[in-house]
Amino acid sequence: MGKPGVFNKALICDPPILKVMQSSGGGAAEHLLESEIGVHWKEEELINPPPKFIAQANMADPAIFERFGEENFPECFREYAELLSWDRYWHTTLDTSNPPFWKWFVGGKLNASYNCIDRHLAKHRNKAAIIWVPEQEEEPDQILTFQELYSRVNEFALVLSEVAGLKKGDRVTFHLPMNPSLPVSMLAAARLGIIHNEVFGGFSAKACAERMEDAKSKILVTCDGYYRNGQWIDKKADADLTVDEASKVGIKVEKVLVWRRYPGKYLSKAEMVAGRDYFVDELLKKMHGKRVYPIPMDSEDPLFLMYTSGSTGRPKGCQHRTGGYLAYAAGTSKYVQDIHPEDVYWCFADIGWITGHSYIVYGPLALGATTVMYEGVPMFPDPGRSWRIAERLGVNIFHTAPTTIRMLRKAAPNEPDKYNYHFKTMTTVGEPIEPEVWRWYYDVVGKGEACITDTWWQTETGGIMCSTLPALQSMKPGSAGSGMPGIYPIIYDENGNEIKKGERRAGNICIRNPWPGIMQTIWGDPERYVRQYYLKYCKNTSSKDWHDWPYFAGDGAVLAPDGYFRILGRVDDVIKVAGHRLGTKELENAALTTKEISEAAAVPLADELRGHVPLIFASLKPGATPSKEIEAEVVSNIAKELGPIAKPRAVYLVPDLPKTRSGKIMRRVLAAISNNEDYGDVTTLANPDVVETIRKTVREHSV
Ligand code: PRX
């Protein structure tokens, strides 16, 4: 572990600016709310960034916190918006006339595709914009310069408009894996104001169809297939199923556009359907050399939808705006990731999730950076792969999730030593990172010379909410840091009382103010948006003052004496598997498609590598008897409905599920039993006896 570095004394002042931290001792989790994950971490020491890093950082001016202080809100966010090129300047930075539907940079016009591509051509035409690394190691990288990206995006934009008939405001669904076709498709849609809706490539056909139905989207863009863990995955076969599933829910998919991994060579077993399916590479030939004008979009025009799981069954289409989102992604990429155009930046996440949208595509490209994309999994063909990529490409900024870090650490803890790469910053995102894992990331992956930013945020927030600014604030293992500039987080208890720093109590982390990256609404369901994120702590629903509308994030957190937030995890019924949110209701609905099952409950089981994995407890319909076959069918139905990522570790068929007298399933009790924790007093349940039976079943079949 590196000692706190020596740094400019002038920077040592009150939180949240850099300071040498004495341990404040004591556990932070003595009075945890029932709904929160109990942790008993001790306070960790602070670690300072190397002076070499500070010397080159994009943001080393401590005045930023004052500039973004409450007295300068909302105008402070001009600083982010001014990183972009506007076709027309905005007249109102923040419009709060219809809370909580905030509007940002109102009156402004800009195009996201132009900002990520065209405006860099004059200086960076021949610079790599995207370096795509195929999973098969012997296959060459594909390098898209800004010029090449410009050509492909223009030509594909014409395919979207002329072949697929899409126009501004229409939705287009992508079910694409980590292949350059995905950012090209996104930027092509953005060029014409078509709202893109990427569904994570690993999700099932059914999940994709449901999202198409919700978005009322009739054009599907997919590919013939891709490599994952050495296997060829047939994606076009999936697309055919998606079309069938979509028709069941009332969506007639009009066209399926198929990118081929090797243009001219079709590797899927699924047949092409005449009049419906088209090879993109053939269509692109017809558009060769054509250009399309990037439409100046209103700042508030939606840029994309990103579906995410919540506490109820239906995934929510988080609708993100053009101006505010792009400004926020660019600003945070610049100040937290410290991306300069000359850096080689690799965010090892999937573009099918918000991390990839904001920090593989929009943020880095808006800054004219080189963004690396890798097709495959971390361990293929061996645990050295990531470090070979970093070494070969000269990656100097690395960004990934705790689940990947845990996996690499477990597989080959000394592997990074063998490779000659040097990171200046590293990021983690998606779940709490254990201090021990953090230290391995810092000492071994970062070789003790890189800053780590632990970034806490969500699909809904568009960009980072809490993190340290790497040249200005010390790192603390396991802590996300303070609110970002212009973000004012607060922790409330269940009754809306503030839990202050150093109280050593957990509560619900909220953001007191609006910010440019916040989603606009839930697509097609504004009421749910208000209900889900604002009603819990809204002080006055008729108020037009943003101070009355704190954003409820749905995470538990504690605030340390030094003003750093430690995020404890979700307080709603969401299970995070390898960093990805899965709704308990979605899992349960899928389990119920097994005809013998009458009731099901999904709970998280702690897992060393993936953070959590789902477990299913289910009771059977009268007349049915428990069997291995039923268990296997539940697993396969879940994989079919949601995708392989959602597969439960085990299915327990039990006589009944523990319930309150009002009939609510006590998932908390099931989770405690599964994780070998104390499940507390159950005597008030409607059926307390079943708890012991379940405990025995779990003990006998421990997984
Ligand atoms: O519980 C928090 C956890 O991930 C949730 C958001 O998930 P999603 O919308 O899929 O977005 C993930 C990528 C931004 C949060 O509510 N989470 C995210 N980052 C962190 C985290 N938990 C702890 N520490 C983090 N750095």
Side-chain angles (χ1 to χ4, degrees):
M1 167 63 66
K3 287 208 308 285
V6 179
F7 52 89
N8 186 351
K9 279 268 187 319
L11 295 181
I12 309 173
C13 55
D14 254 7
I17 314 293
L18 271 180
K19 59 195 165 24
V20 183
M21 176 66 179
Q22 64 294 356
S23 168
S24 51
E30 284 156 22
H31 303 98
L32 284 180
L33 299 180
E34 200 173 72
S35 51
E36 287 148 4
I37 300 170
V39 285
H40 301 276
W41 286 329
K42 63 172 182 38
E43 277 296 321
E44 301 288 331
E45 67 168 348
L46 293 186
I47 299 164
N48 294 317
K52 198 168 125 196
F53 175 81
I54 300 176
Q56 61 79 64
N58 278 329
M59 182 44 66
D61 174 11
I64 185 165
F65 288 103
E66 209 178 301
R67 282 207 307 281
F68 279 77
E70 216 166 318
E71 54 294 350
N72 295 325
F73 180 86
E75 298 307 324
C76 51
F77 279 114
R78 282 171 177 265
E79 192 166 328
Y80 285 1
E82 279 162 3
L83 295 171
L84 305 177
S85 301
W86 293 79
D87 295 298
R88 192 172 77 198
Y89 213 62
W90 63 93
H91 52 70
T92 306
T93 301
L94 171 65
D95 171 352
T96 62
S97 59
N98 183 25
F101 301 94
W102 320 114
K103 293 196 175 88
W104 281 93
F105 310 119
V106 186
K109 281 189 182 287
L110 79 170
N111 183 283
S113 180
Y114 176 87
N115 269 281
C116 291
I117 311 170
D118 307 40
R119 67 170 181 152
H120 305 305
L121 292 176
K123 251 172 110 180
H124 297 307
R125 190 179 299 275
N126 295 318
K127 173 180 178 295
I130 296 174
I131 301 179
W132 179 63
V133 181
E135 195 189 66
Q136 305 292 305
E137 208 161 2
E138 59 284 0
E139 236 183 88
D141 297 339
Q142 229 185 72
I143 298 174
L144 273 71
T145 60
F146 277 96
Q147 174 64 28
E148 178 66 22
L149 184 62
Y150 173 72
S151 301
R152 288 200 201 183
V153 164
N154 272 279
E155 290 159 11
F156 190 63
L158 281 156
V159 169
L160 291 177
S161 63
E162 291 183 9
V163 180
L166 291 161
K167 53 185 191 324
K168 181 179 162 184
D170 291 344
R171 276 78 56 210
V172 61
T173 299
F174 306 150
H175 201 187
L176 288 167
M178 285 294 283
N179 181 286
S181 59
L182 177 49
V184 167
S185 301
M186 288 162 66
L187 293 164
R191 201 163 184 86
L192 299 177
I194 300 161
I195 303 169
H196 60 75
N197 169 33
E198 155 70 3
V199 178
F200 170 56
F203 267 159
S204 67
K206 181 137 190 229
C208 183
E210 275 169 10
R211 286 154 176 77
M212 290 186 84
E213 190 275 327
D214 193 85
K216 302 283 174 285
S217 157
K218 296 182 181 149
I219 305 291
L220 177 63
V221 180
T222 186
C223 63
D224 58 346
Y226 61 107
Y227 286 102
R228 190 161 179 86
N229 211 8
Q231 304 291 314
W232 173 257
I233 313 272
D234 192 329
K235 199 85 193 105
K236 170 61 171 59
D238 244 15
D240 290 353
L241 289 175
T242 303
V243 174
D244 291 349
E245 292 289 344
S247 77
K248 288 188 205 157
V249 287
I251 288 285
K252 184 174 177 325
V253 177
E254 289 166 1
K255 292 207 166 58
V256 179
L257 307 180
V258 184
W259 288 89
R260 286 189 282 195
R261 194 175 188 288
Y262 305 97
K265 206 161 116 191
Y266 184 50
L267 294 183
S268 166
K269 295 212 165 49
E271 277 179 23
M272 295 291 279
V273 176
R276 187 197 75 183
D277 301 351
Y278 299 83
F279 289 130
V280 172
D281 51 297
E282 286 175 0
L283 298 172
L284 286 177
K285 276 189 203 144
K286 297 192 185 128
M287 306 300 173
H288 185 77
K290 292 192 186 168
R291 301 294 177 248
V292 51
Y293 184 67
I295 302 182
M297 303 295 291
D298 279 344
S299 188
E300 279 291 306
D301 280 333
L303 177 60
F304 66 86
L305 303 180
M306 164 73 45
Y307 280 82
T308 192
S309 294
S311 50
T312 55
R314 220 175 148 71
K316 299 174 291 213
C318 297
Q319 179 184 319
H320 282 284
R321 70 194 92 223
T322 306
Y325 168 82
L326 196 63
Y328 200 70
T332 48
S333 296
K334 182 159 183 171
Y335 295 158
V336 179
Q337 319 266 352
D338 198 55
I339 304 178
H340 305 64
E342 60 275 21
D343 288 323
V344 182
Y345 166 80
W346 180 19
C347 172
F348 193 171
D350 196 298
I351 299 177
W353 306 106
I354 192 71
T355 302
H357 273 49
S358 300
Y359 298 115
I360 298 179
V361 182
Y362 285 114
L365 291 180
L367 297 177
T370 298
T371 183
V372 175
M373 284 177 69
Y374 170 51
E375 179 181 35
V377 299
M379 306 278 284
F380 187 85
D382 59 67
R385 184 63 190 277
S386 308
W387 320 128
R388 285 200 291 283
I389 294 173
E391 180 184 70
R392 189 167 56 79
L393 300 181
V395 171
N396 67 340
I397 307 178
F398 185 67
H399 183 169
T400 196
T403 180
T404 307
I405 303 170
R406 287 185 212 113
M407 189 189 293
L408 292 167
R409 171 174 177 249
K410 183 164 186 213
N414 301 319
E415 194 67 14
D417 299 347
K418 300 183 194 155
Y419 299 94
N420 182 20
Y421 65 80
H422 295 278
F423 297 148
K424 65 168 184 172
T425 52
M426 306 193 298
T427 295
T428 99
V429 62
E431 307 162 71
I433 183 165
E434 301 79 358
E436 199 190 316
V437 177
W438 190 101
R439 278 196 199 90
W440 180 77
Y441 197 35
Y442 181 80
D443 288 333
V444 182
V445 177
K447 308 181 181 202
E449 58 191 17
C451 299
I452 295 185
T453 51
D454 178 347
T455 60
W456 170 74
W457 59 293
Q458 310 176 298
T459 307
E460 293 87 337
T461 71
I464 299 163
M465 294 285 97
C466 283
S467 166
T468 49
L469 286 187
L472 288 170
Q473 293 169 295
S474 317
M475 304 165 246
K476 181 157 78 171
S479 265
S482 65
M484 287 290 294
I487 303 295
Y488 320 130
I490 189 164
I491 300 183
Y492 287 123
D493 69 11
E494 280 300 310
N495 304 318
N497 301 313
E498 180 179 356
I499 299 180
K500 302 223 170 70
K501 60 183 174 190
E503 273 191 47
R504 298 200 187 150
R505 280 199 302 143
N508 295 314
I509 186 165
C510 296
I511 310 295
R512 284 198 296 116
N513 61 307
W515 66 96
I518 178 66
M519 67 196 279
Q520 291 175 294
T521 184
I522 295 176
W523 176 261
D525 201 349
E527 278 166 29
R528 188 174 172 200
Y529 176 63
V530 180
R531 204 170 58 238
Q532 176 88 35
Y533 302 106
Y534 294 97
L535 282 192
K536 189 169 174 82
Y537 291 119
C538 180
K539 294 174 193 132
N540 170 8
T541 49
S542 41
S543 167
K544 300 212 181 300
D545 179 352
W546 62 259
H547 293 87
D548 291 325
W549 292 86
Y551 168 84
F552 167 67
D555 277 339
V558 281
L559 183 54
D562 56 7
Y564 276 22
F565 289 88
R566 173 169 279 169
I567 309 295
L568 304 177
R570 306 286 308 165
V571 295
D572 61 9
D573 293 332
V574 170
I575 303 180
K576 273 231 130 178
V577 180
H580 305 315
R581 264 158 84 174
L582 298 174
T584 40
K585 261 279 161 289
E586 280 179 278
L587 285 154
E588 291 161 6
N589 289 344
L592 288 178
T593 60
T594 315
K595 65 179 187 309
E596 293 87 355
I597 303 287
S598 79
E599 263 187 326
V603 299
L605 173 73
D607 180 81
E608 204 190 328
L609 297 180
R610 317 191 96 205
H612 289 97
V613 289
L615 286 182
I616 300 289
F617 288 85
S619 59
L620 297 178
K621 287 183 183 154
T625 31
S627 69
K628 287 272 162 249
E629 288 69 36
I630 299 178
E631 289 173 19
E633 204 185 323
V634 171
V635 174
S636 103
N637 284 342
I638 290 177
K640 199 158 70 204
E641 298 273 318
L642 298 177
I645 189 165
K647 270 192 188 172
R649 171 71 48 85
V651 176
Y652 294 113
L653 301 176
V654 293
D656 197 5
L657 299 174
K659 294 198 191 104
T660 60
R661 282 171 208 233
S662 60
K664 264 183 133 186
I665 298 176
M666 291 299 285
R667 291 186 188 78
R668 182 182 60 76
V669 172
L670 295 170
I673 295 175
S674 314
N675 291 288
N676 249 327
E677 288 162 6
D678 178 15
Y679 50 75
D681 181 15
V682 291
T683 51
T684 56
L685 294 187
N687 52 354
D689 298 344
V690 80
V691 174
E692 186 48 31
T693 320
I694 293 175
R695 207 178 60 80
K696 274 199 194 130
T697 313
V698 171
R699 207 174 43 204
E700 280 157 23
H701 302 92
S702 82
V703 284

